[in-house]
Amino acid sequence: MKREIKFKLNGEEVTAEVESHWTLLYFLREVLKLKGTKEGCGYGECGACTVVIDKMAVNSCLFPVMEVNGKDVLTIEGISGPGEALHPLQKAFIEEGAVQCGFCTPGMIMSAYALFEEKKNPDDEDIKEAIEGNLCRCTGYVKIIDAINAAKRGK
Amino acid sequence: MKKFEYIEAEDLEDLLSILWDFKNEARVIAGGTDLLSIFKDQYLLSYPKLVVNAKPVKELDYVYIEGGILKIGALTRLSTLLSHPLVIEKFPIIKEAIMTIATPQIRNVGTVGGNLCQDIRCWYYRYPARLGGPLICLRKGGKTCLAIRGDNRYHALIGKRCYAVCPSDLAIVLCCLNAEIIVVKKKNQRKLDVQSLYTPLGLSLQPDEIVKEIQVPCNYGFRQRFIKFTIRRPIDFAVLSLAGQLKFEKKDLSKWIITFGGISYRPEVVVVTKYFQKNEKTVEKLLEEIVRSVLVKAKPLTKNAYKIPLLKGLSRKLIHSLM
Ligand SMILES: Cc1cc2nc3c(=O)[nH]c(=O)nc-3n(C[C@H](O)[C@H](O)[C@H](O)COP(=O)(O)OP(=O)(O)OC[C@H]3O[C@@H](n4cnc5c(N)ncnc54)[C@H](O)[C@@H]3O)c2cc1C
Ligand code: SF4
Ligand code: FES
Ligand code: FES
């Protein structure tokens, strides 16, 4: 049975018809065609599907779409400010060489984004903790931590 | 994904009446981090039609101390508990354990009640439909436990027909802290100790019952410590986990409470009261007691006997860190 939900997606109000059993990830990728958010495992293990809901990093693959009703959802497509091509985190990831295949990158950036929402000046330990739920098979994480630090300095 | 209908409970009363009316046809969803994977993998033989979201029941989201008891609402998120001042100040062991549970993303939505009531992780039991499951093992009404002849390296040492271990790290710690669990259903409420929430073949809850609150007495020990052994450091379920606290009853009379996870379907407990001397003799005595009261029940399967020396080694480490 289709149900109606209303929520804020990347700053804009969205009203949509959804099936109760969909995950938020399915809705974003397959219905709205927002393909920035990735599906790695589908079970909360890799973090490729990370989005920010009400300022917190969440796995969209394990989040019922019905539950975003009334909430504020941010995906990689919506983090850059008005008139800004890329968010400082995105720029820093490129400049520091923190992107290789790029599959983990949107999730990494959303986790880092949520960290900055919570702490303006995180140290290396905070950064490592914040990306603990994000797997990267390519970079070895060092460049990713460098990029998050660079974005912090640039803020 | 198995289809389901979804409704939101307005308050506790509404939630309990829905469960009362629908019984096995309905299931509570809190954070959904475990329940959605159960619907995705379709490893069970039958599924409830209705999923009731308990998250809007704000009256079950709280942490406070009253009359010397820490009270935690079942819908409190793991991340809330992790950073709660009362936990940081008085129960560092709870923080230590939650730090090892899953990932920040999962702790941001996963709840205390959901963690205690999550389904077991046995890989035969959870064998997904997309790979040819479900497998019908003893826990699902089949004749045999598939782990006995299969790959049982992470299974229980103390089995009662099923060899799946309690997956919740929080349960191990709460048991060590002597916590009690308040379970409610329409028109009824009861109190359980942590061990009694688990039975060899599943939770001891009725389909219309939920965990409402966790009560942790504040007469916690002088020292508390949690140790978890995993294969990967971040994001991994415990191969073995241990929680311990040391209390002083009277001058020099010490009480050691140590609980073990990863060896059976529930937390296993050892309590030893003895005159305290800070030396190797005390360590040896406690280890003897652990062997005598817990390990004596161990009947290792083909691939998990390594857990016995591992448990002894970790116990030694735990005792040293508590002394
Ligand atoms: C990748 C990954 C790694 C993990 N690692 C660990 C780990 O290392 N240690 C660990 O302990 N856990 C671990 N977990 C489990 C995780 O902690 C749980 O998924 C989470 O706590 C469940 O909470 P939830 O609110 O999302 O539960 P849900 O998914 O909403 O519910 C889980 C189950 O409990 C039932 N339920 C929920 N609330 C109640 C209630 N109040 N009363 C009665 N029944 C209820 C539901 O009906 C369902 O059957 C991991 C999970 C994942 C996905
Ligand atoms: S350990 Fe339990 S759940 Fe796993 S196969 Fe055996 S009976 Fe089934
Ligand atoms: S796809 Fe969600 S955590 Fe891997
Ligand atoms: S860049 Fe390839 S997985 Fe991280």
Side-chain angles (χ1 to χ4, degrees):
Chain A
M1 195 174 68
K2 290 259 184 186
R3 303 272 297 266
E4 190 181 275
I5 56 165
K6 283 197 180 111
F7 67 107
K8 214 170 185 183
L9 177 61
N10 297 330
E12 284 177 26
E13 288 297 337
V14 175
T15 305
E17 294 249 294
V18 298
E19 293 273 358
S20 323
H21 64 279
W22 287 352
T23 61
L24 173 60
L25 179 64
Y26 178 87
F27 179 62
L28 290 172
R29 286 184 58 86
E30 307 305 327
V31 181
L32 300 179
K33 305 289 174 195
L34 287 173
K35 302 272 183 176
T37 309
K38 307 291 183 228
E39 175 159 28
C41 61
Y43 295 96
E45 285 160 19
C46 75
C49 65
T50 305
V51 298
V52 172
I53 302 182
D54 293 346
K55 303 198 168 175
M56 279 184 308
V58 161
N59 294 133
S60 60
C61 70
L62 291 180
F63 202 86
V65 71
M66 292 299 298
E67 232 192 275
V68 300
N69 201 17
K71 296 206 162 74
D72 189 348
V73 180
L74 206 55
T75 69
I76 189 74
E77 287 89 352
I79 58 168
S80 58
E84 196 181 57
L86 293 175
H87 183 272
L89 269 165
Q90 292 171 304
K91 281 188 207 149
F93 267 64
I94 297 170
E95 275 154 26
E96 297 292 323
V99 183
Q100 288 188 27
C101 79
F103 200 81
C104 69
T105 313
M108 285 286 182
I109 290 181
M110 296 317 287
S111 286
Y113 186 97
L115 171 65
F116 285 139
E117 289 279 328
E118 191 195 327
K119 285 194 178 139
K120 286 289 159 251
N121 206 6
D123 60 23
D124 271 12
E125 272 318 298
D126 296 327
I127 295 175
K128 285 182 194 165
E129 247 169 54
I131 60 168
E132 207 180 68
N134 294 80
L135 285 186
C136 175
R137 293 285 82 179
C138 308
T139 65
Y141 303 99
V142 175
K143 300 268 184 193
I144 291 175
I145 295 165
D146 288 349
I148 298 172
N149 270 316
K152 173 180 83 177
R153 287 192 300 272
K155 268 178 130 176
Chain B
M1 173 85 87
K2 186 85 183 167
K3 288 190 181 181
F4 55 80
E5 282 307 323
Y6 169 100
I7 48 172
E8 285 191 349
E10 280 167 17
D11 50 27
L12 183 60
E13 199 186 324
D14 187 35
L15 175 64
L16 298 179
S17 345
I18 297 169
L19 293 176
W20 171 269
D21 291 342
F22 284 84
K23 299 278 188 302
N24 276 320
E25 290 293 306
R27 188 88 164 249
V28 170
I29 187 168
T33 57
D34 183 42
L35 194 66
L36 283 187
S37 67
I38 301 176
F39 275 85
K40 277 189 184 191
D41 280 347
Q42 303 187 39
Y43 60 77
L44 297 178
L45 299 178
S46 71
Y47 277 80
K49 289 195 189 67
L50 185 68
V51 163
V52 195
N53 188 4
K55 273 272 174 71
V57 183
K58 290 286 170 240
E59 59 211 274
L60 293 188
D61 180 0
Y62 54 82
V63 183
Y64 62 87
I65 289 183
E66 186 182 61
I69 293 174
L70 176 76
K71 299 187 170 175
I72 308 169
L75 285 168
T76 308
R77 286 177 292 113
L78 294 173
S79 59
T80 307
L81 201 54
L82 179 66
S83 56
H84 199 282
L86 287 174
V87 168
I88 294 174
E89 190 195 329
K90 301 192 188 297
F91 296 97
I93 191 174
I94 296 183
K95 179 177 174 191
E96 258 184 288
I98 297 180
M99 282 296 285
T100 74
I101 296 180
T103 66
Q105 288 96 318
I106 290 170
R107 297 195 294 261
N108 280 339
V109 286
T111 62
V112 170
N115 181 275
L116 293 175
C117 298
Q118 61 178 296
D119 207 358
I120 52 146
R121 291 270 157 184
C122 168
W123 43 36
Y124 298 102
Y125 177 80
R126 283 209 180 222
Y127 200 78
R130 74 189 137 75
L131 298 178
L135 300 180
I136 306 175
C137 67
L138 190 134
R139 197 178 177 100
K140 293 183 196 164
K143 288 206 176 61
T144 50
C145 163
L146 301 169
I148 290 176
R149 291 217 219 156
D151 190 336
N152 47 43
R153 69 182 97 167
Y154 303 131
H155 284 79
L157 286 173
I158 304 169
K160 286 205 173 124
R161 303 200 296 145
C162 168
Y163 283 82
V165 296
C166 170
S168 164
D169 290 315
L170 207 51
I172 309 307
V173 164
L174 291 176
C175 182
C176 178
L177 293 171
N178 236 331
E180 288 185 302
I181 299 178
I182 309 295
V183 170
V184 282
K185 67 189 230 174
K186 198 174 163 175
K187 295 187 199 140
N188 199 11
Q189 174 158 322
R190 61 191 177 109
K191 222 181 217 187
L192 294 177
D193 59 37
V194 179
Q195 275 188 320
S196 320
L197 179 63
Y198 304 96
T199 80
L201 297 181
L203 296 177
S204 63
L205 300 182
Q206 302 294 318
D208 55 352
E209 277 183 326
I210 62 157
V211 170
K212 179 182 162 202
E213 181 177 278
I214 322 300
Q215 300 189 342
V216 195
C218 287
N219 62 346
Y220 44 81
F222 165 70
R223 288 212 181 94
Q224 351 169 336
R225 190 71 211 283
F226 176 75
I227 295 180
K228 172 165 162 180
F229 184 89
T230 56
I231 303 296
R232 267 186 92 232
R233 200 175 60 88
I235 338 180
D236 208 351
F237 285 91
V239 171
L240 289 177
S241 58
L242 296 83
Q245 57 165 330
L246 167 62
K247 292 183 179 185
F248 285 104
E249 304 271 279
K250 280 189 256 148
K251 192 180 178 305
D252 284 348
L253 185 65
S254 61
K255 184 171 180 183
W256 303 74
I257 306 175
I258 303 180
T259 50
F260 302 93
I263 60 173
S264 91
Y265 63 91
R266 59 174 192 184
E268 294 293 334
V269 195
V270 175
V271 181
V272 183
T273 308
K274 84 185 284 314
Y275 281 95
F276 184 68
Q277 279 168 324
K278 202 172 167 175
N279 56 25
E280 272 313 297
K281 243 183 160 166
T282 301
V283 180
E284 292 310 321
K285 274 268 173 277
L286 289 167
L287 283 173
E288 268 170 35
E289 192 52 39
I290 290 170
V291 171
R292 204 185 58 75
S293 59
V294 173
L295 285 179
V296 69
K297 293 183 274 181
K299 291 204 178 67
L301 299 167
T302 49
K303 292 189 168 67
N304 69 356
Y306 73 91
K307 284 192 178 186
I308 293 178
L310 186 59
L311 187 104
K312 287 185 188 161
L314 293 172
S315 299
R316 188 181 289 278
K317 189 172 157 187
L318 181 81
I319 296 163
H320 274 289
S321 71
L322 286 173
M323 288 224 294

